[in-house]
Amino acid sequence: MPSRRPPRPDQEGDNLPSSSSLGTSTIAAGGGSQTSQTMIDSRIRPPAAEEEETSNKNQFTIRPARNHSDLAGASHLFRSYALSLGIDLSFQAFETELHSLPGKYSPQTGGEILLAFRAGEPSSTPIGCVALRTLGGAEAGCCEMKRLYVSPEGRGLGMGEELAGGIIRVAAESGYRTMKLDTLPTMVGALALYEKLGFVETEPYYETPITGTVFLAKELQTVNRSQNPR
């Protein structure tokens, strides 16, 4: 695997809000909306830091992909994500995935795609994405976070954290009990964020030709909105 500089935190692996972050984001899912507010310990961050972070999060909105234009935007971001990794994803049938969206990320099959847009431009080109799919089979009750990526113009705003937080909430509300993901050992920032957010190393859940792939899992706190937990 060619050596690369460690990714910025807003690339794949930029993650969830922790208890020491502050902000409000609205995730529209299934025709509704959900507002998430997290608390900050003022002993850790001064008021100026709170104001700056809140201001940053007011610069973008997040919603599910629901139409052809959204899926075209998701496809473009997925391809940018793959290019940022610098590895061949053909073993994941990546081209087929791009041309069949939403495919395995369809809400009808227990999946979802969330997109981030500049504030006030919900119909513009998305600048961030994340996806969810069911694992099924022997992995009953488990889902997988995929394709977390923020384009260069969206970085530095905490967008990756909000995207990941949004997809975890969607998974919990859908009745999933465990979320899994994979990442690369070279993605030092991503690994640190995943650990901070409660992901722990787990056994490989699929075969991969990429040497050193790191497999992580997180137990979810399910929300009583699903009558039939997955």
Side-chain angles (χ1 to χ4, degrees):
M1 184 182 301
S3 61
R4 301 187 307 281
R5 296 172 63 185
R8 295 177 53 125
D10 278 320
Q11 288 182 334
E12 187 269 343
D14 185 7
N15 275 285
L16 311 175
S18 70
S19 59
S20 62
S21 66
L22 174 69
T24 301
S25 66
T26 299
I27 309 291
S33 65
Q34 175 181 357
T35 300
S36 170
Q37 291 183 306
T38 52
M39 302 300 293
I40 184 170
D41 186 337
S42 60
R43 296 170 299 175
I44 298 175
R45 289 190 178 186
E50 298 179 19
E51 293 174 3
E52 180 180 359
E53 184 168 348
T54 300
S55 176
N56 284 342
K57 291 179 181 178
N58 288 336
Q59 296 183 46
F60 60 87
T61 59
I62 297 173
R63 63 171 175 80
R66 287 294 181 265
N67 55 50
H68 179 76
S69 177
D70 289 346
L71 294 177
S75 178
H76 175 75
L77 287 171
F78 282 17
R79 191 176 293 281
S80 296
Y81 157 84
L83 290 172
S84 76
L85 296 179
I87 60 176
D88 183 3
L89 293 180
S90 61
F91 71 98
Q92 295 183 359
F94 186 65
E95 289 298 322
T96 299
E97 175 181 315
L98 293 182
H99 290 97
S100 62
L101 290 175
K104 59 190 175 184
Y105 307 121
S106 171
Q108 283 69 41
T109 60
E112 186 61 279
I113 298 173
L114 295 181
L115 299 175
F117 299 82
R118 295 178 184 85
E121 302 178 27
S123 298
S124 63
T125 301
I127 56 176
C129 63
V130 68
L132 172 76
R133 74 179 184 110
T134 184
L135 288 177
E139 298 284 352
C142 294
C143 61
E144 183 180 26
M145 184 194 299
K146 299 287 289 184
R147 314 306 184 214
L148 177 59
Y149 177 76
V150 174
S151 59
E153 61 266 40
R155 295 174 190 167
L157 303 176
M159 186 180 296
E161 291 188 5
E162 291 298 300
L163 283 163
I167 210 68
I168 282 192
R169 289 190 290 275
V170 169
E173 291 174 358
S174 297
Y176 289 111
R177 297 185 293 273
T178 306
M179 174 173 280
K180 295 186 177 183
L181 58 85
D182 64 356
T183 189
L184 301 174
T186 53
M187 303 184 78
V188 179
L191 287 167
L193 283 168
Y194 284 130
E195 180 180 5
K196 181 179 74 172
L197 297 165
F199 284 88
V200 296
E201 194 159 356
T202 190
E203 293 295 319
Y205 54 92
Y206 74 93
E207 294 184 6
T208 174
I210 307 302
T211 303
T213 297
V214 179
F215 295 90
L216 303 173
K218 175 183 175 67
E219 296 304 310
L220 303 177
Q221 296 182 347
T222 57
V223 179
N224 294 326
R225 286 184 56 182
S226 173
Q227 297 299 317
N228 298 297
R230 301 179 189 283

mmCIF file of all heavy atoms in Angstrom, residues 125-177:
data_model
loop_
_atom_site.group_PDB
_atom_site.id
_atom_site.type_symbol
_atom_site.label_atom_id
_atom_site.label_comp_id
_atom_site.label_asym_id
_atom_site.label_seq_id
_atom_site.Cartn_x
_atom_site.Cartn_y
_atom_site.Cartn_z
ATOM 1 N N THR A 125 -24.977 21.440 -4.723
ATOM 2 C CA THR A 125 -24.139 20.241 -4.734
ATOM 3 C C THR A 125 -23.719 19.901 -3.311
ATOM 4 O O THR A 125 -23.201 20.762 -2.585
ATOM 5 C CB THR A 125 -22.889 20.476 -5.589
ATOM 6 O OG1 THR A 125 -23.293 20.815 -6.919
ATOM 7 C CG2 THR A 125 -22.002 19.242 -5.613
ATOM 8 N N PRO A 126 -23.934 18.667 -2.849
ATOM 9 C CA PRO A 126 -23.536 18.311 -1.487
ATOM 10 C C PRO A 126 -22.022 18.329 -1.325
ATOM 11 O O PRO A 126 -21.286 18.077 -2.280
ATOM 12 C CB PRO A 126 -24.102 16.892 -1.315
ATOM 13 C CG PRO A 126 -24.205 16.351 -2.709
ATOM 14 C CD PRO A 126 -24.549 17.531 -3.567
ATOM 15 N N ILE A 127 -21.581 18.631 -0.115
ATOM 16 C CA ILE A 127 -20.143 18.709 0.150
ATOM 17 C C ILE A 127 -19.701 17.729 1.235
ATOM 18 O O ILE A 127 -18.558 17.750 1.664
ATOM 19 C CB ILE A 127 -19.726 20.147 0.535
ATOM 20 C CG1 ILE A 127 -20.533 20.655 1.728
ATOM 21 C CG2 ILE A 127 -19.885 21.076 -0.653
ATOM 22 C CD1 ILE A 127 -20.086 22.033 2.207
ATOM 23 N N GLY A 128 -20.599 16.862 1.657
ATOM 24 C CA GLY A 128 -20.249 15.843 2.633
ATOM 25 C C GLY A 128 -21.246 14.708 2.569
ATOM 26 O O GLY A 128 -22.393 14.900 2.163
ATOM 27 N N CYS A 129 -20.820 13.506 2.972
ATOM 28 C CA CYS A 129 -21.718 12.351 2.906
ATOM 29 C C CYS A 129 -21.329 11.302 3.932
ATOM 30 O O CYS A 129 -20.212 11.278 4.455
ATOM 31 C CB CYS A 129 -21.686 11.723 1.514
ATOM 32 S SG CYS A 129 -20.074 11.044 1.052
ATOM 33 N N VAL A 130 -22.287 10.416 4.195
ATOM 34 C CA VAL A 130 -22.049 9.209 4.981
ATOM 35 C C VAL A 130 -23.180 8.254 4.651
ATOM 36 O O VAL A 130 -24.271 8.685 4.268
ATOM 37 C CB VAL A 130 -21.999 9.507 6.500
ATOM 38 C CG1 VAL A 130 -23.368 9.940 7.036
ATOM 39 C CG2 VAL A 130 -21.481 8.309 7.290
ATOM 40 N N ALA A 131 -22.928 6.961 4.751
ATOM 41 C CA ALA A 131 -23.945 5.972 4.402
ATOM 42 C C ALA A 131 -24.047 4.894 5.468
ATOM 43 O O ALA A 131 -23.138 4.705 6.289
ATOM 44 C CB ALA A 131 -23.634 5.343 3.044
ATOM 45 N N LEU A 132 -25.177 4.210 5.427
ATOM 46 C CA LEU A 132 -25.479 3.127 6.369
ATOM 47 C C LEU A 132 -26.045 1.957 5.592
ATOM 48 O O LEU A 132 -26.853 2.139 4.679
ATOM 49 C CB LEU A 132 -26.513 3.616 7.392
ATOM 50 C CG LEU A 132 -27.102 2.571 8.350
ATOM 51 C CD1 LEU A 132 -26.106 2.224 9.438
ATOM 52 C CD2 LEU A 132 -28.399 3.095 8.962
ATOM 53 N N ARG A 133 -25.626 0.757 5.944
ATOM 54 C CA ARG A 133 -26.216 -0.439 5.351
ATOM 55 C C ARG A 133 -26.330 -1.528 6.404
ATOM 56 O O ARG A 133 -25.584 -1.546 7.388
ATOM 57 C CB ARG A 133 -25.396 -0.938 4.166
ATOM 58 C CG ARG A 133 -24.075 -1.628 4.555
ATOM 59 C CD ARG A 133 -23.350 -2.104 3.318
ATOM 60 N NE ARG A 133 -22.128 -2.855 3.627
ATOM 61 C CZ ARG A 133 -21.986 -4.165 3.433
ATOM 62 N NH1 ARG A 133 -22.985 -4.882 2.962
ATOM 63 N NH2 ARG A 133 -20.844 -4.769 3.710
ATOM 64 N N THR A 134 -27.277 -2.431 6.177
ATOM 65 C CA THR A 134 -27.410 -3.564 7.082
ATOM 66 C C THR A 134 -26.370 -4.614 6.727
ATOM 67 O O THR A 134 -25.977 -4.752 5.569
ATOM 68 C CB THR A 134 -28.827 -4.169 6.992
ATOM 69 O OG1 THR A 134 -28.952 -5.216 7.956
ATOM 70 C CG2 THR A 134 -29.115 -4.726 5.602
ATOM 71 N N LEU A 135 -25.903 -5.351 7.716
ATOM 72 C CA LEU A 135 -24.992 -6.453 7.459
ATOM 73 C C LEU A 135 -25.765 -7.760 7.283
ATOM 74 O O LEU A 135 -25.452 -8.571 6.434
ATOM 75 C CB LEU A 135 -23.958 -6.565 8.578
ATOM 76 C CG LEU A 135 -22.898 -5.458 8.581
ATOM 77 C CD1 LEU A 135 -21.962 -5.603 9.769
ATOM 78 C CD2 LEU A 135 -22.093 -5.464 7.282
ATOM 79 N N GLY A 136 -26.813 -7.954 8.115
ATOM 80 C CA GLY A 136 -27.693 -9.096 7.929
ATOM 81 C C GLY A 136 -26.987 -10.437 8.096
ATOM 82 O O GLY A 136 -25.834 -10.522 8.533
ATOM 83 N N GLY A 137 -27.693 -11.502 7.722
ATOM 84 C CA GLY A 137 -27.134 -12.842 7.828
ATOM 85 C C GLY A 137 -26.692 -13.165 9.235
ATOM 86 O O GLY A 137 -27.436 -12.980 10.204
ATOM 87 N N ALA A 138 -25.453 -13.637 9.361
ATOM 88 C CA ALA A 138 -24.905 -13.966 10.676
ATOM 89 C C ALA A 138 -24.694 -12.722 11.520
ATOM 90 O O ALA A 138 -24.464 -12.821 12.729
ATOM 91 C CB ALA A 138 -23.577 -14.713 10.513
ATOM 92 N N GLU A 139 -24.776 -11.550 10.889
ATOM 93 C CA GLU A 139 -24.581 -10.281 11.595
ATOM 94 C C GLU A 139 -25.922 -9.631 11.905
ATOM 95 O O GLU A 139 -26.051 -8.408 11.879
ATOM 96 C CB GLU A 139 -23.734 -9.333 10.734
ATOM 97 C CG GLU A 139 -22.336 -9.835 10.431
ATOM 98 C CD GLU A 139 -21.389 -9.693 11.610
ATOM 99 O OE1 GLU A 139 -21.773 -9.063 12.617
ATOM 100 O OE2 GLU A 139 -20.275 -10.218 11.522
ATOM 101 N N ALA A 140 -26.939 -10.431 12.195
ATOM 102 C CA ALA A 140 -28.274 -9.893 12.489
ATOM 103 C C ALA A 140 -28.190 -8.858 13.601
ATOM 104 O O ALA A 140 -27.523 -9.070 14.611
ATOM 105 C CB ALA A 140 -29.227 -11.011 12.885
ATOM 106 N N GLY A 141 -28.883 -7.730 13.405
ATOM 107 C CA GLY A 141 -28.858 -6.655 14.387
ATOM 108 C C GLY A 141 -27.694 -5.702 14.202
ATOM 109 O O GLY A 141 -27.573 -4.727 14.940
ATOM 110 N N CYS A 142 -26.841 -5.967 13.202
ATOM 111 C CA CYS A 142 -25.663 -5.135 12.977
ATOM 112 C C CYS A 142 -25.807 -4.328 11.684
ATOM 113 O O CYS A 142 -26.403 -4.784 10.712
ATOM 114 C CB CYS A 142 -24.410 -6.000 12.864
ATOM 115 S SG CYS A 142 -23.952 -6.859 14.372
ATOM 116 N N CYS A 143 -25.233 -3.142 11.699
ATOM 117 C CA CYS A 143 -25.169 -2.308 10.508
ATOM 118 C C CYS A 143 -23.733 -1.845 10.336
ATOM 119 O O CYS A 143 -22.891 -2.056 11.205
ATOM 120 C CB CYS A 143 -26.112 -1.112 10.640
ATOM 121 S SG CYS A 143 -25.724 -0.010 12.028
ATOM 122 N N GLU A 144 -23.487 -1.209 9.211
ATOM 123 C CA GLU A 144 -22.139 -0.737 8.913
ATOM 124 C C GLU A 144 -22.182 0.715 8.458
ATOM 125 O O GLU A 144 -23.009 1.095 7.637
ATOM 126 C CB GLU A 144 -21.513 -1.598 7.815
ATOM 127 C CG GLU A 144 -20.070 -1.233 7.494
ATOM 128 C CD GLU A 144 -19.466 -2.096 6.410
ATOM 129 O OE1 GLU A 144 -20.228 -2.631 5.563
ATOM 130 O OE2 GLU A 144 -18.232 -2.228 6.391
ATOM 131 N N MET A 145 -21.299 1.528 9.014
ATOM 132 C CA MET A 145 -21.110 2.897 8.540
ATOM 133 C C MET A 145 -20.145 2.866 7.365
ATOM 134 O O MET A 145 -19.093 2.236 7.433
ATOM 135 C CB MET A 145 -20.532 3.793 9.638
ATOM 136 C CG MET A 145 -20.403 5.256 9.220
ATOM 137 S SD MET A 145 -19.365 6.279 10.322
ATOM 138 C CE MET A 145 -20.245 6.150 11.868
ATOM 139 N N LYS A 146 -20.531 3.559 6.279
ATOM 140 C CA LYS A 146 -19.711 3.570 5.078
ATOM 141 C C LYS A 146 -19.602 4.992 4.511
ATOM 142 O O LYS A 146 -20.450 5.841 4.754
ATOM 143 C CB LYS A 146 -20.339 2.685 3.990
ATOM 144 C CG LYS A 146 -20.483 1.222 4.382
ATOM 145 C CD LYS A 146 -19.167 0.484 4.404
ATOM 146 C CE LYS A 146 -18.616 0.256 3.015
ATOM 147 N NZ LYS A 146 -17.359 -0.549 3.034
ATOM 148 N N ARG A 147 -18.571 5.200 3.729
ATOM 149 C CA ARG A 147 -18.401 6.374 2.856
ATOM 150 C C ARG A 147 -18.497 7.725 3.570
ATOM 151 O O ARG A 147 -19.036 8.683 3.036
ATOM 152 C CB ARG A 147 -19.408 6.339 1.705
ATOM 153 C CG ARG A 147 -19.562 5.005 0.992
ATOM 154 C CD ARG A 147 -18.258 4.457 0.499
ATOM 155 N NE ARG A 147 -18.455 3.215 -0.257
ATOM 156 C CZ ARG A 147 -17.587 2.204 -0.262
ATOM 157 N NH1 ARG A 147 -16.464 2.273 0.455
ATOM 158 N NH2 ARG A 147 -17.825 1.117 -0.976
ATOM 159 N N LEU A 148 -17.945 7.796 4.783
ATOM 160 C CA LEU A 148 -17.913 9.086 5.481
ATOM 161 C C LEU A 148 -16.838 9.954 4.845
ATOM 162 O O LEU A 148 -15.653 9.619 4.861
ATOM 163 C CB LEU A 148 -17.616 8.876 6.967
ATOM 164 C CG LEU A 148 -17.479 10.137 7.819
ATOM 165 C CD1 LEU A 148 -18.749 10.970 7.782
ATOM 166 C CD2 LEU A 148 -17.132 9.772 9.261
ATOM 167 N N TYR A 149 -17.265 11.073 4.278
ATOM 168 C CA TYR A 149 -16.320 11.922 3.554
ATOM 169 C C TYR A 149 -16.827 13.354 3.529
ATOM 170 O O TYR A 149 -18.027 13.618 3.379
ATOM 171 C CB TYR A 149 -16.166 11.421 2.116
ATOM 172 C CG TYR A 149 -15.257 12.277 1.265
ATOM 173 C CD1 TYR A 149 -13.871 12.219 1.397
ATOM 174 C CD2 TYR A 149 -15.786 13.144 0.319
ATOM 175 C CE1 TYR A 149 -13.041 13.016 0.619
ATOM 176 C CE2 TYR A 149 -14.962 13.944 -0.468
ATOM 177 C CZ TYR A 149 -13.587 13.874 -0.313
ATOM 178 O OH TYR A 149 -12.756 14.660 -1.079
ATOM 179 N N VAL A 150 -15.889 14.307 3.664
ATOM 180 C CA VAL A 150 -16.183 15.727 3.539
ATOM 181 C C VAL A 150 -15.231 16.308 2.504
ATOM 182 O O VAL A 150 -14.018 16.113 2.592
ATOM 183 C CB VAL A 150 -16.026 16.459 4.886
ATOM 184 C CG1 VAL A 150 -16.203 17.963 4.698
ATOM 185 C CG2 VAL A 150 -17.023 15.934 5.899
ATOM 186 N N SER A 151 -15.774 16.999 1.518
ATOM 187 C CA SER A 151 -14.938 17.583 0.475
ATOM 188 C C SER A 151 -14.105 18.725 1.052
ATOM 189 O O SER A 151 -14.434 19.279 2.107
ATOM 190 C CB SER A 151 -15.804 18.089 -0.683
ATOM 191 O OG SER A 151 -16.731 19.053 -0.224
ATOM 192 N N PRO A 152 -13.014 19.105 0.383
ATOM 193 C CA PRO A 152 -12.110 20.121 0.944
ATOM 194 C C PRO A 152 -12.798 21.410 1.362
ATOM 195 O O PRO A 152 -12.462 21.995 2.393
ATOM 196 C CB PRO A 152 -11.117 20.350 -0.200
ATOM 197 C CG PRO A 152 -11.061 19.036 -0.911
ATOM 198 C CD PRO A 152 -12.473 18.524 -0.865
ATOM 199 N N GLU A 153 -13.789 21.873 0.586
ATOM 200 C CA GLU A 153 -14.430 23.142 0.920
ATOM 201 C C GLU A 153 -15.308 23.059 2.161
ATOM 202 O O GLU A 153 -15.729 24.082 2.703
ATOM 203 C CB GLU A 153 -15.260 23.659 -0.260
ATOM 204 C CG GLU A 153 -16.377 22.744 -0.697
ATOM 205 C CD GLU A 153 -15.978 21.826 -1.824
ATOM 206 O OE1 GLU A 153 -14.830 21.320 -1.804
ATOM 207 O OE2 GLU A 153 -16.803 21.619 -2.737
ATOM 208 N N GLY A 154 -15.583 21.861 2.652
ATOM 209 C CA GLY A 154 -16.412 21.714 3.835
ATOM 210 C C GLY A 154 -15.641 21.374 5.092
ATOM 211 O O GLY A 154 -16.232 21.217 6.162
ATOM 212 N N ARG A 155 -14.347 21.272 4.990
ATOM 213 C CA ARG A 155 -13.552 20.841 6.135
ATOM 214 C C ARG A 155 -13.303 21.967 7.136
ATOM 215 O O ARG A 155 -13.362 23.135 6.809
ATOM 216 C CB ARG A 155 -12.230 20.239 5.656
ATOM 217 C CG ARG A 155 -12.460 18.961 4.861
ATOM 218 C CD ARG A 155 -11.206 18.395 4.244
ATOM 219 N NE ARG A 155 -11.574 17.324 3.314
ATOM 220 C CZ ARG A 155 -10.764 16.779 2.432
ATOM 221 N NH1 ARG A 155 -9.502 17.198 2.357
ATOM 222 N NH2 ARG A 155 -11.186 15.826 1.623
ATOM 223 N N GLY A 156 -13.060 21.563 8.373
ATOM 224 C CA GLY A 156 -12.794 22.531 9.420
ATOM 225 C C GLY A 156 -14.032 23.080 10.081
ATOM 226 O O GLY A 156 -13.942 23.993 10.909
ATOM 227 N N LEU A 157 -15.201 22.525 9.736
ATOM 228 C CA LEU A 157 -16.474 23.020 10.296
ATOM 229 C C LEU A 157 -17.125 22.017 11.254
ATOM 230 O O LEU A 157 -18.206 22.281 11.758
ATOM 231 C CB LEU A 157 -17.461 23.332 9.153
ATOM 232 C CG LEU A 157 -17.003 24.326 8.093
ATOM 233 C CD1 LEU A 157 -18.056 24.431 6.986
ATOM 234 C CD2 LEU A 157 -16.747 25.694 8.717
ATOM 235 N N GLY A 158 -16.488 20.888 11.462
ATOM 236 C CA GLY A 158 -17.112 19.857 12.284
ATOM 237 C C GLY A 158 -18.154 19.056 11.524
ATOM 238 O O GLY A 158 -18.954 18.340 12.131
ATOM 239 N N MET A 159 -18.154 19.157 10.213
ATOM 240 C CA MET A 159 -19.163 18.499 9.399
ATOM 241 C C MET A 159 -19.072 16.982 9.480
ATOM 242 O O MET A 159 -20.090 16.269 9.537
ATOM 243 C CB MET A 159 -19.018 18.949 7.948
ATOM 244 C CG MET A 159 -20.113 18.442 7.024
ATOM 245 S SD MET A 159 -19.850 19.020 5.322
ATOM 246 C CE MET A 159 -20.028 20.805 5.532
ATOM 247 N N GLY A 160 -17.863 16.455 9.490
ATOM 248 C CA GLY A 160 -17.692 15.012 9.577
ATOM 249 C C GLY A 160 -18.274 14.452 10.864
ATOM 250 O O GLY A 160 -18.904 13.392 10.865
ATOM 251 N N GLU A 161 -18.080 15.156 11.954
ATOM 252 C CA GLU A 161 -18.646 14.728 13.235
ATOM 253 C C GLU A 161 -20.163 14.681 13.175
ATOM 254 O O GLU A 161 -20.807 13.751 13.662
ATOM 255 C CB GLU A 161 -18.209 15.677 14.354
ATOM 256 C CG GLU A 161 -16.745 15.609 14.706
ATOM 257 C CD GLU A 161 -16.429 16.430 15.950
ATOM 258 O OE1 GLU A 161 -17.372 16.961 16.565
ATOM 259 O OE2 GLU A 161 -15.245 16.533 16.295
ATOM 260 N N GLU A 162 -20.752 15.710 12.595
ATOM 261 C CA GLU A 162 -22.206 15.781 12.534
ATOM 262 C C GLU A 162 -22.784 14.716 11.604
ATOM 263 O O GLU A 162 -23.843 14.148 11.880
ATOM 264 C CB GLU A 162 -22.640 17.178 12.079
ATOM 265 C CG GLU A 162 -22.362 18.259 13.106
ATOM 266 C CD GLU A 162 -23.129 18.041 14.400
ATOM 267 O OE1 GLU A 162 -24.370 18.020 14.358
ATOM 268 O OE2 GLU A 162 -22.464 17.867 15.427
ATOM 269 N N LEU A 163 -22.125 14.432 10.501
ATOM 270 C CA LEU A 163 -22.574 13.378 9.606
ATOM 271 C C LEU A 163 -22.554 12.021 10.304
ATOM 272 O O LEU A 163 -23.519 11.261 10.247
ATOM 273 C CB LEU A 163 -21.692 13.338 8.356
ATOM 274 C CG LEU A 163 -21.959 14.411 7.302
ATOM 275 C CD1 LEU A 163 -20.785 14.518 6.332
ATOM 276 C CD2 LEU A 163 -23.246 14.114 6.539
ATOM 277 N N ALA A 164 -21.454 11.731 10.964
ATOM 278 C CA ALA A 164 -21.346 10.445 11.655
ATOM 279 C C ALA A 164 -22.353 10.355 12.794
ATOM 280 O O ALA A 164 -22.980 9.311 13.005
ATOM 281 C CB ALA A 164 -19.924 10.248 12.187
ATOM 282 N N GLY A 165 -22.522 11.439 13.526
ATOM 283 C CA GLY A 165 -23.509 11.447 14.596
ATOM 284 C C GLY A 165 -24.904 11.233 14.064
ATOM 285 O O GLY A 165 -25.724 10.514 14.647
ATOM 286 N N GLY A 166 -25.205 11.837 12.917
ATOM 287 C CA GLY A 166 -26.519 11.672 12.315
ATOM 288 C C GLY A 166 -26.783 10.241 11.899
ATOM 289 O O GLY A 166 -27.870 9.702 12.119
ATOM 290 N N ILE A 167 -25.792 9.581 11.300
ATOM 291 C CA ILE A 167 -26.019 8.219 10.822
ATOM 292 C C ILE A 167 -26.111 7.240 11.992
ATOM 293 O O ILE A 167 -26.824 6.234 11.916
ATOM 294 C CB ILE A 167 -24.923 7.797 9.809
ATOM 295 C CG1 ILE A 167 -25.494 6.788 8.789
ATOM 296 C CG2 ILE A 167 -23.700 7.239 10.483
ATOM 297 C CD1 ILE A 167 -26.517 7.344 7.846
ATOM 298 N N ILE A 168 -25.439 7.538 13.086
ATOM 299 C CA ILE A 168 -25.572 6.678 14.264
ATOM 300 C C ILE A 168 -26.965 6.814 14.858
ATOM 301 O O ILE A 168 -27.588 5.835 15.283
ATOM 302 C CB ILE A 168 -24.486 6.991 15.301
ATOM 303 C CG1 ILE A 168 -23.173 6.349 14.858
ATOM 304 C CG2 ILE A 168 -24.872 6.509 16.683
ATOM 305 C CD1 ILE A 168 -22.089 6.321 15.883
ATOM 306 N N ARG A 169 -27.512 8.039 14.855
ATOM 307 C CA ARG A 169 -28.876 8.213 15.355
ATOM 308 C C ARG A 169 -29.884 7.490 14.475
ATOM 309 O O ARG A 169 -30.831 6.871 14.962
ATOM 310 C CB ARG A 169 -29.205 9.711 15.462
ATOM 311 C CG ARG A 169 -28.465 10.420 16.589
ATOM 312 C CD ARG A 169 -29.007 11.821 16.813
ATOM 313 N NE ARG A 169 -28.671 12.735 15.732
ATOM 314 C CZ ARG A 169 -27.526 13.398 15.658
ATOM 315 N NH1 ARG A 169 -26.583 13.239 16.586
ATOM 316 N NH2 ARG A 169 -27.302 14.237 14.657
ATOM 317 N N VAL A 170 -29.680 7.562 13.161
ATOM 318 C CA VAL A 170 -30.564 6.836 12.242
ATOM 319 C C VAL A 170 -30.508 5.334 12.532
ATOM 320 O O VAL A 170 -31.533 4.654 12.575
ATOM 321 C CB VAL A 170 -30.167 7.120 10.776
ATOM 322 C CG1 VAL A 170 -30.904 6.169 9.826
ATOM 323 C CG2 VAL A 170 -30.472 8.562 10.407
ATOM 324 N N ALA A 171 -29.310 4.818 12.736
ATOM 325 C CA ALA A 171 -29.151 3.386 13.010
ATOM 326 C C ALA A 171 -29.850 2.988 14.306
ATOM 327 O O ALA A 171 -30.542 1.967 14.369
ATOM 328 C CB ALA A 171 -27.669 3.033 13.083
ATOM 329 N N ALA A 172 -29.682 3.801 15.347
ATOM 330 C CA ALA A 172 -30.311 3.494 16.631
ATOM 331 C C ALA A 172 -31.830 3.521 16.515
ATOM 332 O O ALA A 172 -32.527 2.656 17.046
ATOM 333 C CB ALA A 172 -29.836 4.477 17.694
ATOM 334 N N GLU A 173 -32.350 4.516 15.795
ATOM 335 C CA GLU A 173 -33.798 4.629 15.627
ATOM 336 C C GLU A 173 -34.362 3.506 14.759
ATOM 337 O O GLU A 173 -35.551 3.187 14.842
ATOM 338 C CB GLU A 173 -34.146 5.992 15.030
ATOM 339 C CG GLU A 173 -33.898 7.140 15.989
ATOM 340 C CD GLU A 173 -34.094 8.503 15.349
ATOM 341 O OE1 GLU A 173 -34.389 8.545 14.135
ATOM 342 O OE2 GLU A 173 -33.956 9.509 16.060
ATOM 343 N N SER A 174 -33.514 2.902 13.938
ATOM 344 C CA SER A 174 -33.950 1.797 13.088
ATOM 345 C C SER A 174 -33.909 0.464 13.817
ATOM 346 O O SER A 174 -34.317 -0.551 13.261
ATOM 347 C CB SER A 174 -33.067 1.722 11.834
ATOM 348 O OG SER A 174 -33.197 2.908 11.062
ATOM 349 N N GLY A 175 -33.405 0.474 15.041
ATOM 350 C CA GLY A 175 -33.397 -0.746 15.835
ATOM 351 C C GLY A 175 -32.113 -1.544 15.786
ATOM 352 O O GLY A 175 -32.043 -2.640 16.354
ATOM 353 N N TYR A 176 -31.089 -1.041 15.108
ATOM 354 C CA TYR A 176 -29.814 -1.751 15.101
ATOM 355 C C TYR A 176 -29.196 -1.734 16.487
ATOM 356 O O TYR A 176 -29.333 -0.763 17.233
ATOM 357 C CB TYR A 176 -28.852 -1.107 14.106
ATOM 358 C CG TYR A 176 -29.219 -1.332 12.656
ATOM 359 C CD1 TYR A 176 -29.665 -0.273 11.865
ATOM 360 C CD2 TYR A 176 -29.109 -2.586 12.074
ATOM 361 C CE1 TYR A 176 -29.997 -0.463 10.530
ATOM 362 C CE2 TYR A 176 -29.438 -2.790 10.743
ATOM 363 C CZ TYR A 176 -29.885 -1.727 9.973
ATOM 364 O OH TYR A 176 -30.220 -1.921 8.658
ATOM 365 N N ARG A 177 -28.508 -2.804 16.820
ATOM 366 C CA ARG A 177 -27.883 -2.914 18.134
ATOM 367 C C ARG A 177 -26.377 -2.662 18.104
ATOM 368 O O ARG A 177 -25.784 -2.302 19.112
ATOM 369 C CB ARG A 177 -28.171 -4.294 18.730
ATOM 370 C CG ARG A 177 -29.644 -4.550 18.979
ATOM 371 C CD ARG A 177 -29.870 -5.889 19.673
ATOM 372 N NE ARG A 177 -29.527 -7.015 18.813
ATOM 373 C CZ ARG A 177 -30.360 -7.579 17.947
ATOM 374 N NH1 ARG A 177 -31.577 -7.085 17.784
ATOM 375 N NH2 ARG A 177 -29.985 -8.611 17.222
#
